[in-house]
């Protein structure tokens, strides 16, 4: 038995004749512990707060995220981008510039991400590739809408237009449009997106269900 975290990767292995379909089991990543990642009341921030959580690197879509944010800022949109994680040297100057212009706040690495999810209006992850994004699972479980790339490992976590929005990977303009759309939603619509994300996690990604599926595949 070969386990995969998303169908896209499994399909690639079938196409390349690496593993036959009969040996494949596609899981919902590792699932999410809904007792630890609990739903939190949706915040009433004066400025919309987008959260990026993870290593600040090209493959996570940071170049596109910064470009979209600068464009939105130049248009007068009122928001703040919270950055949580380490950045690679190539982004040092850009991070400092974003902070100095009031576009972003840099928080560095944090052992407990829950307070940052809790204060966020929306979590953004424009990644190029993922197995199954834990950040998106954690965000949705907290009751936060997400904006993410429509790629395997990300798209499974979101119901577009209902629990969040998707954009094309490596496309700053597509990401900009998604963020712009979100900024123009009402507080009530944003909150409803968050509630829908939590429900999606409960229905499809609960840790105990993924563990049960794993054990069944091993011992069948």
């Amino acid at each position: 038995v070969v386990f995969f975290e998303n169908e896209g990767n499994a399909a690639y292995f079938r196409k390349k004749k690496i593993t036959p379909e009969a040996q494949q089991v596609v899981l919902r990543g590792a699932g999410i512990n809904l007792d630890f990642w609990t739903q939190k009341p949706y915040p009433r921030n004066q400025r919309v707060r987008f959260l990026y959580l993870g290593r600040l690197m090209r493959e996570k879509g940071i170049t596109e995220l910064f470009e979209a944010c600068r464009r939105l800022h130049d248009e007068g949109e009122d928001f703040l981008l919270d950055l949580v994680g380490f950045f690679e040297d190539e982004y040092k100057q850009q991070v400092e510039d974003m902070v100095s212009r009031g576009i972003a706040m840099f928080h560095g690495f944090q052992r407990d991400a829950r307070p940052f999810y809790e204060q966020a209006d929306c979590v953004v992850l424009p990644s190029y590739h993922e197995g199954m994004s834990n950040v998106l699972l954690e965000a949705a479980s907290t009751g936060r809408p997400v904006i993410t790339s429509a790629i395997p490992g990300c798209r499974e976590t979101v119901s577009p237009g209902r629990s969040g929005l998707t954009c094309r990977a490596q496309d700053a303009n597509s990401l900009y449009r998604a963020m712009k759309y979100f900024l123009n939603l009402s507080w009530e619509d944003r909150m409803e997106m968050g509630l829908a994300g939590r429900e999606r996690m409960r229905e499809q990604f609960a840790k105990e269900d993924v563990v049960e599926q794993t054990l069944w595949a091993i011992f069948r």
Side-chain angles (χ1 to χ4, degrees):
V1 175
V2 180
F3 291 97
F4 294 87
E5 290 192 316
N6 65 68
E7 173 56 33
N9 289 350
Y12 178 82
F13 271 60
R14 293 196 299 271
K15 180 180 179 180
K16 295 296 183 178
K17 301 187 185 304
I18 299 172
T19 57
E21 185 173 5
Q23 291 181 340
Q24 294 184 345
V25 175
V26 180
L27 302 172
R28 294 282 181 169
I32 188 75
N33 183 343
L34 295 171
D35 293 327
F36 182 83
W37 297 99
T38 58
Q39 181 177 335
K40 299 296 183 181
Y42 196 72
R44 288 189 176 271
N45 296 317
Q46 290 186 335
R47 304 170 67 188
V48 169
R49 300 187 73 151
F50 290 110
L51 170 64
Y52 172 87
L53 194 151
R55 192 178 184 93
L56 279 65
M57 58 191 298
R58 184 181 65 84
E59 290 80 3
K60 295 293 186 179
I62 287 297
T63 298
E64 291 78 11
L65 178 58
F66 284 2
E67 182 178 334
C69 285
R70 285 191 290 263
R71 183 175 173 186
L72 290 166
H73 176 76
D74 291 344
E75 291 177 354
E77 294 287 357
D78 192 22
F79 69 96
L80 182 68
L81 174 64
D82 287 296
L83 299 169
V84 177
F86 294 118
F87 59 74
E88 298 189 341
D89 289 342
E90 66 176 297
Y91 288 107
K92 183 177 186 296
Q93 187 60 50
Q94 291 190 57
V95 169
E96 292 175 351
D97 176 70
M98 297 273 285
V99 171
S100 68
R101 294 177 62 187
I103 302 173
M105 287 186 66
F106 178 65
H107 304 277
F109 172 75
Q110 300 290 326
R111 292 190 180 279
D112 187 359
R114 287 174 294 179
F116 294 92
Y117 287 123
E118 187 171 350
Q119 71 181 0
D121 290 277
C122 179
V123 174
V124 185
L125 180 65
S127 186
Y128 296 0
H129 48 80
E130 296 285 337
M132 181 64 68
S133 170
N134 287 327
V135 166
L136 297 177
L137 299 183
E138 292 163 6
S141 296
T142 309
R144 299 299 176 261
V146 300
I147 296 175
T148 190
S149 309
I151 61 168
C154 289
R155 65 190 178 203
E156 293 87 351
T157 69
V158 58
S159 175
R162 185 166 181 266
S163 68
L165 303 166
T166 58
C167 63
R168 290 190 295 273
Q170 304 185 54
D171 188 332
N173 190 52
S174 179
L175 176 59
Y176 156 82
R177 289 196 302 269
M179 295 177 72
K180 180 93 169 180
Y181 179 87
F182 185 85
L183 284 166
N184 286 284
L185 290 174
S186 67
W187 181 89
E188 289 78 12
D189 286 341
R190 296 171 192 158
M191 179 190 66
E192 288 298 324
M193 273 190 170
L195 294 175
R198 173 72 184 189
E199 183 64 17
R200 186 175 182 85
M201 294 301 103
R202 188 188 66 79
E203 291 178 350
Q204 299 187 23
F205 289 89
K207 171 72 76 174
E208 56 268 28
D209 294 339
V210 175
V211 170
E212 182 179 348
Q213 183 184 5
T214 303
L215 292 174
W216 177 86
I218 293 172
F219 297 110
R220 63 183 176 180

